[in-house]
């Protein structure tokens, strides 16, 4: 699933979207409440997406490549934050 | 924040300084009852947060309780300098032998409180310092240690007061100094401090101003005085615009985006950084600009707060464009503020490149911020452009005279 705000887009792979442990971890680590644990599923809180501080805690808390943070204002090589070696 | 006289008297009384047997009321009939209790000639004093009430007719002398009731009714209906009275203070008419002045104010240059004393108290005390400097004693004292009796004596003795009068005045001054520090005052003044015919000293009037930021720390005092949280007690009541600014800042705990003061100019300001707001405000004025507002942003506010502040400023009638500026080097994230102000423009249906005259925030995550500003075509400047130069660019942009090849444009 993916949700874009004005400046930031959040992409969570289907692989972990329904994972209760991942949902709990994401809710816990994000300092600006972009993720919520919705009954064991990952929920992206749209109203908070643009508050992203690019801290990468969500990326580091989940398996490689399952969470990506898109900088919608950036067209350069740093436009996507991910732990996927093919992207990051 | 300022206190009414009846509140200031209570503060003085709590500090152990003698006051008269006064009464406060909002009702003329009750003023009569207070006068009957006092049992003699009384003074009816309007309770307003402005000066010049004696000259405006807000102080009346009554020989009987009936006259006190009539005078109180008149004073309660009398507007002084745009202020309606909170009530009236009914005070015994004192048999005064001599009027003195005692005050403590904050000396911003020395960063210490200073005790002031004069043996020429009463109205027009300001002129005494100019015309009779030898009748004014001054003594700075510690922020931490209490004003000693010796220091108080030094202050009083500068005016030539000696003997038993000096000894009676010393505890009044030391207690006044103590209350100034204990209650976070910026002004604590007794004027007149009266020497009565029997040789005793009594505070006949008092003025107190407390540091506004100390309100949370002085909750107990304010509760006892009946001062509610909704009372700003500033020089004027907050405008709707200013109250909306407070609401923006209160929406979350992150950083600061508020402390808004309304002005009647046409250039909206989103400014801040450790006192930089004042400098930037002045810089805009020096460049010939007319600020529509003062505000403070910094300490890493959320995007929502930066957006809320920018929307508020942009929505102010008469504001065509805004300048987003902070002072020298700030730890506030540039990209977060950039997101906030651009989002504000977009949500209001404006082109950020048109509405933001200049964006100059030298700080953390500059490069990330510049990417955002580039995408939306907003003119920006880094720390190589002084805040004075940035202010000039903002004023020129508002007037439509900015050159597109300006090196500070960032384009």
């Amino acid at each position: 699933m993916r949700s874009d705000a004005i400046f930031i887009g959040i992409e969570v792979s289907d692989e972990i979207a329904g994972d209760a442990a991942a949902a709990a971890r994401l809710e816990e680590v994000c300092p600006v409440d972009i993720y919520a644990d919705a009954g064991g599923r990952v929920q992206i809180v749209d109203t908070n997406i643009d508050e992203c501080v690019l801290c990468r805690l969500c990326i580091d808390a989940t398996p490689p490549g399952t969470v990506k943070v898109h900088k919608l204002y950036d067209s350069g090589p740093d436009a996507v934050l991910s732990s996927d070696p093919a992207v990051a | 924040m300022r206190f009414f006289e009846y509140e200031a008297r209570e503060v003085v009384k709590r500090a152990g300084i003698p006051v008269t047997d006064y009464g406060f009321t909002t009702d003329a009939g009750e003023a009569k009852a207070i006068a009957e209790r006092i049992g003699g000639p009384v003074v009816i004093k309007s309770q307003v947060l402005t000066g010049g009430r004696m000259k405006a007719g807000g102080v009346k002398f009554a020989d009987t309780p009936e006259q006190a009731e009539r005078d109180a009714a008149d004073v309660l209906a009398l507007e002084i300098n745009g202020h309606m009275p909170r009530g009236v203070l009914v005070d015994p008419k004192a048999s005064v032998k001599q009027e003195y002045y005692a005050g403590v104010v904050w000396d911003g240059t020395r960063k210490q409180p200073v005790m002031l004393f004069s043996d020429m108290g009463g109205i027009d005390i300001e002129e005494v310092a100019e015309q009779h400097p030898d009748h004014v004693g001054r003594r700075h004292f510690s922020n931490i240690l209490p004003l000693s009796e010796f220091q108080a004596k030094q202050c009083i003795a500068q005016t030539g007061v000696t003997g038993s009068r000096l000894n009676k005045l010393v505890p009044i001054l030391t207690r006044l100094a103590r209350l100034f520090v204990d209650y976070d005052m910026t002004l604590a003044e007794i004027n007149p401090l009266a020497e009565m015919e029997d040789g005793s000293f009594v505070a006949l009037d008092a003025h107190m101003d407390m540091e506004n930021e100390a309100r949370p720390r002085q909750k107990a005092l304010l509760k006892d005085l009946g001062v509610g949280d909704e009372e700003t007690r500033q020089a004027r009541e907050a405008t709707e615009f200013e109250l909306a600014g407070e609401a923006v800042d209160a929406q979350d705990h992150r950083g600061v985006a508020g402390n808004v003061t309304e002005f009647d100019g046409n250039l909206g300001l989103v400014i801040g950084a450790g006192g930089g707001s004042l400098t930037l405000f002045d810089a805009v004025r020096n460049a010939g600009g007319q600020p529509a507002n003062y505000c403070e942003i910094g300490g890493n506010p959320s995007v929502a707060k930066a957006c809320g502040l920018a929307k508020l400023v942009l929505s102010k009638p008469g504001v065509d464009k805004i300048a987003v500026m902070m002072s020298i080097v700030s730890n506030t994230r540039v990209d977060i503020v950039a997101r906030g102000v651009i989002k504000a423009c977009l949500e209001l249906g404006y082109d950020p490149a048109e509405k933001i005259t200049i964006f100059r925030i030298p700080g953390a995550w500059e490069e990330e911020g510049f990417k955002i500003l580039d995408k939306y075509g907003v003119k920006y400047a880094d720390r190589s452009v002084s805040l004075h130069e940035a202010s000039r660019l903002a004023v020129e942009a508002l007037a439509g005279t900015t050159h597109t090849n300006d090196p500070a444009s960032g384009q």
Side-chain angles (χ1 to χ4, degrees):
Chain A
M1 73 178 140
R2 175 164 172 168
S3 189
D4 287 355
I6 299 173
F7 306 99
I8 300 292
I10 300 292
E11 186 177 357
V12 177
S13 75
D14 293 340
E15 183 188 330
I16 64 160
D19 185 311
R25 269 201 307 279
L26 286 169
E27 181 179 282
E28 182 188 356
V29 300
C30 181
V32 290
D33 302 329
I34 289 174
Y35 305 96
D37 181 348
R41 290 190 59 81
V42 178
Q43 182 191 348
I44 299 172
V45 181
D46 290 342
T47 51
N48 291 342
I49 292 175
D50 274 336
E51 296 288 350
C52 177
V53 291
L54 310 176
C55 65
R56 300 183 64 105
L57 288 172
C58 54
I59 294 164
D60 295 341
T62 49
T66 55
V67 171
K68 293 176 184 170
V69 175
H70 298 263
K71 295 190 276 183
L72 305 177
Y73 51 86
D74 191 345
S75 55
D78 301 326
V80 182
L81 303 183
S82 169
S83 60
D84 182 351
V87 177
Chain B
M1 63 167 289
R2 299 181 297 172
F3 291 101
F4 288 97
E5 180 193 353
Y6 71 97
E7 296 166 335
R9 290 253 203 136
E10 180 60 29
V11 175
V12 166
K13 193 171 156 186
R14 279 170 165 235
I17 297 170
V19 296
T20 55
D21 180 22
Y22 62 90
F24 168 76
T25 180
T26 57
D27 177 73
E30 197 177 339
K32 179 185 176 189
I34 295 169
E36 283 170 345
R37 189 198 77 213
I38 291 171
V42 294
V43 188
I44 308 295
K45 302 169 85 174
S46 177
Q47 295 300 287
V48 283
L49 292 177
T50 183
R53 63 184 173 172
M54 172 73 95
K55 290 174 183 172
V59 178
K60 290 181 180 291
F61 297 90
D63 291 329
T64 65
E66 289 72 24
Q67 190 185 347
E69 183 177 16
R70 289 194 298 274
D71 287 349
D74 290 344
V75 170
L76 284 167
L78 180 67
E79 183 180 304
I80 300 174
N81 297 331
H83 294 249
M84 288 306 291
R86 168 69 62 93
V88 291
L89 192 141
V90 184
D91 208 14
K93 189 177 175 187
S95 302
V96 178
K97 187 157 64 177
Q98 186 173 348
E99 291 184 338
Y100 297 80
Y101 169 94
V104 184
V105 293
W106 179 253
D107 182 341
T109 305
R110 287 273 294 264
K111 296 184 172 54
Q112 281 185 316
V114 57
M115 167 65 70
L116 301 168
F117 176 80
S118 176
D119 59 344
M120 296 179 71
I123 59 173
D124 298 326
I125 184 67
E126 291 83 2
E127 292 174 13
V128 173
E130 289 181 11
Q131 296 172 8
H132 307 281
D134 52 327
H135 284 272
V136 178
R138 293 180 178 82
R139 184 69 166 82
H140 286 86
F141 60 97
S142 166
N143 297 307
I144 302 165
L145 301 172
L147 178 78
S148 70
E149 293 192 352
F150 174 72
Q151 289 171 315
K153 278 182 181 172
Q154 276 188 323
C155 183
I156 299 164
Q158 288 175 48
T159 64
V161 172
T162 58
S164 65
R165 289 188 301 158
L166 174 65
N167 288 332
K168 287 175 187 172
L169 285 163
V170 164
I172 293 174
L173 264 65
T174 55
R175 288 168 191 172
L176 185 63
R178 168 56 73 186
L179 84 80
F180 177 89
V181 174
D182 286 351
Y183 294 136
D184 296 303
M185 297 294 181
T186 54
L187 168 73
E189 185 178 81
I190 300 172
N191 185 34
L193 171 59
E195 182 183 11
M196 313 299 278
E197 290 294 347
D198 64 3
S200 64
F201 283 84
V202 177
L204 291 187
D205 195 355
H207 293 102
M208 301 281 156
D209 276 8
M210 194 177 79
E211 185 71 53
N212 207 41
E213 281 69 22
R215 289 184 72 142
R217 195 160 64 180
Q218 299 296 347
K219 268 188 177 172
L221 173 70
L222 297 176
K223 186 181 173 192
D224 289 351
L225 295 175
V227 181
D229 290 341
E230 74 286 354
E231 290 189 66
T232 62
R233 297 288 184 91
Q234 299 301 297
R236 61 169 171 75
E237 291 301 310
T239 65
E240 283 185 25
F241 177 76
E242 290 162 354
L243 292 172
E246 284 183 29
V248 168
D249 194 42
Q251 69 183 259
D252 68 51
H253 67 280
R254 294 178 55 192
V256 174
N259 209 359
V260 173
T261 304
E262 186 169 9
F263 289 88
D264 56 3
N266 56 357
L267 177 60
L269 299 181
V270 178
I271 51 177
S277 289
L278 289 170
T279 310
L280 283 158
F281 187 91
D282 287 345
V284 168
R285 284 175 53 87
N286 285 343
Q290 294 178 314
N293 66 286
Y294 169 86
C295 73
E296 291 173 2
I297 185 169
N300 275 318
S302 61
V303 173
K305 280 171 74 163
C307 175
L309 178 60
K311 278 174 95 168
L312 176 70
V313 175
L314 275 166
S315 303
K316 185 175 184 288
V319 170
D320 188 33
K321 297 177 189 241
I322 59 171
V324 184
M325 302 185 288
M326 292 176 83
S327 63
I328 313 303
V329 176
S330 164
N331 63 349
T332 296
R333 278 183 57 161
V334 177
D335 58 332
I336 299 295
V337 179
R339 284 188 218 169
V341 296
I342 288 171
K343 191 174 181 185
C345 293
L346 297 174
E347 288 185 354
L348 291 172
Y350 298 137
D351 176 0
E354 287 294 316
K355 282 292 168 183
I356 302 172
T357 55
I358 188 77
F359 184 105
R360 181 204 181 268
I361 300 185
W365 294 65
E366 262 181 4
E367 293 304 319
E368 206 67 34
F370 293 165
K371 286 180 189 172
I372 297 170
L373 296 162
D374 273 334
K375 175 170 169 75
Y376 290 92
V378 176
K379 294 178 177 63
Y380 59 86
D382 62 16
R383 68 197 67 192
S384 66
V385 175
S386 75
L387 56 86
H388 298 283
E389 180 66 2
S391 299
R392 185 186 64 77
L393 291 168
V395 172
E396 286 183 359
L398 184 64
T401 58
T402 298
H403 302 296
T404 52
N405 62 346
D406 195 302
S409 69
Q411 303 301 296

